[in-house]
Amino acid sequence: MNLKEEIEFLNASPEVSGQVKTLLGRLTQEIKYKEAHIQRLSHELARLKRFRFGQRSEELKASVQMDLFDETLTADIEAVEAELEQLGAKPAPTSKKNHKGRNPLPPELPRVEIRHEPESCTCGSCGTALVKIGEDVTEQLDVEPAKFFVQRHIRPQYACRHCETVEAAPVPAAIIDGGMATPGVLTWLLIGKYVDHLPLYRMEQIAARSGVPLARSTLAEWVGRTGVALRPLVDRLRELLLEREVLHADETPVAQLDPGRGKTKRAYLWAYCSSSWDTGPPILVFDYRGGRSGVYAQEFLEGWKGHLMVDNYAGYNALFKTGVVELGCMAHARRKFFDLHTDHPTALSTQAMAWFAKLYGVEREAEDLSMEERRILRQEKAQPMLESFREWLIAQRRTVADGSGMARAMDYSLKRWEALARYATAGHLPIDNNRIENGIRPIAIGKKNWLYAGSELAGQRAAAIQSLLATAKLNGLDPYAWLKDTLEKLPAWPNSRIDELLPFAACKEVAS
């Protein structure tokens, strides 16, 4: 008999007293409640796992919302499993594809060894001395929050009695002369604000928890002065970017405070980056402007000639009359059909999606090829596909009603066909604008935290610092390590060697 059956048997026995029967009845109710609770949690766990590991659409996989949803689901699953374990129930095993267990902790992290010896080194049964036969080693990840400490700089002064002079070590140049913030603190501040998207009032609270009173006005002053100090690096980054033959461009709206009206107005953060097929290190530069006029793109790219990958925004059209060659974004064209296919799949949307899949299949083949090999592959495979796809679009467009979603999707591709298909004529041209969209994505996430730019000057400063940090990440650098090293060197660094401080120059040094 199990425990429940034993309780029922004792409860029915006439030999058991009334007090014991009352206790048994209470235990029976607790068991029923526990069983019901386990059953409810088991059903909830199964539902969460279906959400977490079931098949989902491409659109959801690509969205930030889906990432947040995944995090919530994972946390919920772990919480339900923990509750089941506390109740003594074993959760059903999770079927995960390619599950390889816990990832090992990075070997470069410092190790702190904690040895656990038994209370006695003699056998508890016979008293014989124990002999070590091996070790059981487990590793756990630990963290220590940012610690503030004070650097005391002591410079002894020495006098010459004969010459009546005084000698002392010189005060080294600093980003903020006479300031109390070291490069480490300035780096902590800028990484928190521009990488982790923490408003200054949160940084103020973090410091206060460590017993360090840092007024928000002081933090703002440090941000402003550091931004000015870094400006020459950003200007040089822009110069090097404009030496590239192929660029991506895009823009995203940003709210800017309008003190005169007590509201916010719309400004724009324009983004320009090098192509993934470039042989040089990747560069991403942000340009903060008060609007979305095409004049801003013309001013940034003044004098530049090359291939420019953009979406269908008309603000770039004036550039294409000055010798700049337009590249159309195939991902934008595909998205028109994808949205229709997701909402209501039809034979036409299915066929269109198949054409795009074939074109991107060629790009996957070309990914690791040389520029010339990529050109040849595109010429042999992509160009015939593109011509057949265009003929299919023209033929099917005659069968589709004007004004419908399918008609608009087809017209978008046909009107921009020359720009969309241009990538296939060479081996160094990109097929879409996804590279710049990925670069802008962290800005879109950050806007939800800092809400708006306080002024146009603040927006320009943010764009400059974001350009350096984003370029560092594109080059595989740790933004914190690069920025701290740069802020230590910058005050005494000669302008003639400014290239050595750029975020990709450090990458070359590491590689060598």
Side-chain angles (χ1 to χ4, degrees), residues 148-149 151 153 173-189 214 218-219 221-223 226 487:
F148 292 90
F149 57 94
Q151 290 184 358
H153 297 273
I175 294 293
I176 304 175
D177 288 333
M180 68 174 179
T182 65
V185 170
L186 296 176
T187 301
W188 166 79
L189 177 61
L214 289 177
T218 300
L219 297 177
E221 176 188 341
W222 291 350
V223 170
T226 309
L487 292 180

Side-chain angles (χ1 to χ4, degrees), residues 448-461:
K448 296 180 180 179
N449 282 347
W450 41 262
L451 301 180
Y452 56 80
S455 65
E456 186 166 348
L457 189 61
Q460 292 170 354
R461 180 171 55 250

